[in-house]
Amino acid sequence: MPHRSELYEDVPSACWPIVYSPDYNITFMGLEKLHPFDAGKWGKVINFLKVVICCGYHHRNTTGSLPSQLPCSEKSFETSANPDRRNNNGGGFHHCSSDKGGGFCAYADITLAIKFLFERVPGVSKATIIDLDAHQGNGHERDFMDDQRVYIMDAYNRYIYPGDGFAKPILCLLSNTETFLGAIKRKVELEWGTEDTEYLQKVHTHVEGALNELKPDIIVYNAGTDILDGDPLGGLAISPQGIVKRDEVVFKAARSRRIPILMVTSGGYQKRTARIIADSILNLHNLGLIDKE
């Protein structure tokens, strides 16, 4: 029997598949403004999207009120016979494992989501994590170290935090057979200042390779924007257009294989990342990549 829960629900046809709650935006007596992470960026993303929708449909908006299309839910997601694409406008705390926090990450939301699906949603027995934040996602990697149901692709700046060698694949010789041990099944280590052309080529090649190697029942896509040129912690040099194209590449790969996908927005340490996330969601919507087929 399907698990009965209010943690997930179908997306109404009139709504965009975006999960959001105002509680995502963190405040603490103004001290959050001193932190490099924009703790209110998720609300800014929603506001950008509402403004665009309002402007796009202003001739039908006689009351001047904001549209109701966003967000679709303050809950989570499910998979079904019809592939579902959802954006959780928040989350992506990929440095936190089930027993330890780290790197501005307080709880292991990616691990929790996947384990919930495995345990309580019929038909979900394999998952792929595509982690394209600028930092290695060592939290979920440690959680799924020995779990063959989870395939992890991780593309990150090789020189920055966390540098978790324990979670990286290591070539070992076992019974005269070369075997890779470690959580990351497809490791893509990037150099300082990697730019759009090289980055997008590697993303396309390795996303396609990962999904050809194992077809999962669900993709969890960690879409950090700290790859943006000028990010003080990411060390890469990807343009806003490159980030939009990156997300498009991932969603097209999922759509072509009819695999449900959940996107979480993860890191990004510049104020302009909220607008870039909103632009990417609009692009995915305009291409029909976040709607049910």
Side-chain angles (χ1 to χ4, degrees):
M1 290 292 291
H3 174 71
R4 297 185 180 277
S5 171
E6 294 185 357
L7 289 174
Y8 55 90
E9 60 182 19
D10 281 321
V11 179
S13 59
C15 292
W16 289 22
I18 298 173
V19 182
Y20 168 73
S21 168
D23 291 337
Y24 287 6
N25 303 300
I26 302 168
T27 59
F28 186 72
M29 297 184 293
L31 293 177
E32 71 279 357
K33 296 177 182 178
L34 302 176
H35 197 281
F37 186 78
D38 183 1
K41 76 174 181 179
W42 299 296
K44 294 174 185 175
V45 171
I46 295 298
N47 287 334
F48 279 133
L49 292 172
K50 284 183 175 181
V51 168
V52 170
I53 294 171
C54 261
C55 291
Y57 294 95
H58 68 276
H59 58 286
R60 285 186 264 168
N61 185 12
T62 58
T63 64
S65 60
L66 289 175
S68 60
Q69 289 97 323
L70 300 169
C72 77
S73 174
E74 293 187 3
K75 301 176 183 178
S76 189
F77 67 97
E78 67 174 341
T79 61
S80 64
N82 295 315
D84 196 4
R85 285 122 187 112
R86 298 204 182 185
N87 175 291
N88 181 33
N89 188 38
F93 303 117
H94 65 157
H95 297 307
C96 186
S97 62
S98 57
D99 63 349
K100 184 179 180 182
F104 310 150
C105 300
Y107 64 96
D109 60 327
I110 293 175
T111 298
L112 287 168
I114 291 174
K115 289 192 172 183
F116 176 88
L117 289 168
F118 283 168
E119 294 174 7
R120 302 192 181 187
V121 178
V124 181
S125 61
K126 300 188 299 286
T128 290
I129 299 171
I130 298 176
D131 196 331
L132 300 185
D133 187 272
H135 300 82
Q136 179 195 353
N138 62 317
H140 58 72
E141 288 162 5
R142 283 178 170 261
D143 283 337
F144 294 117
M145 179 71 68
D146 300 314
D147 195 332
Q148 297 305 310
R149 299 172 299 174
V150 180
Y151 184 106
I152 299 174
M153 172 195 158
D154 199 349
Y156 54 88
N157 184 335
R158 66 191 305 164
Y159 300 108
I160 61 175
Y161 177 89
D164 191 341
F166 181 73
K168 295 179 182 181
I170 301 172
L171 181 62
C172 297
L173 186 64
L174 299 174
S175 302
N176 296 319
T177 302
E178 290 186 347
T179 304
F180 282 97
L181 302 178
I184 305 174
K185 301 297 191 295
R186 188 170 284 259
K187 176 182 68 173
V188 186
E189 294 193 319
L190 303 170
E191 299 294 325
W192 287 108
T194 297
E195 297 181 347
D196 286 20
T197 301
E198 177 186 354
Y199 179 77
L200 291 172
Q201 184 273 326
K202 287 184 175 180
V203 167
H204 181 269
T205 297
H206 289 285
V207 166
E208 290 289 326
L211 296 178
N212 287 339
E213 198 167 323
L214 174 72
K215 183 178 180 181
D217 302 308
I218 182 72
I219 296 169
V220 177
Y221 171 36
N222 197 47
T225 48
D226 51 2
I227 63 171
L228 181 64
D229 187 21
D231 189 280
L233 301 182
L236 303 178
I238 310 305
S239 70
Q241 297 77 15
I243 292 175
V244 171
K245 184 64 178 179
R246 174 200 66 174
D247 296 346
E248 181 182 323
V249 166
V250 176
F251 272 76
K252 281 185 173 178
R255 168 57 65 91
S256 69
R257 294 167 174 79
R258 294 181 57 81
I259 303 171
I261 181 169
L262 167 69
M263 172 179 167
V264 291
T265 52
S266 201
Y269 304 94
Q270 298 182 77
K271 297 296 183 183
R272 58 185 177 139
T273 60
R275 180 56 185 268
I276 295 169
I277 294 169
D279 287 344
S280 181
I281 293 171
L282 287 168
N283 181 60
L284 295 173
H285 174 74
N286 291 337
L287 293 172
L289 294 174
I290 57 172
D291 302 308
K292 289 185 177 180
E293 293 179 286

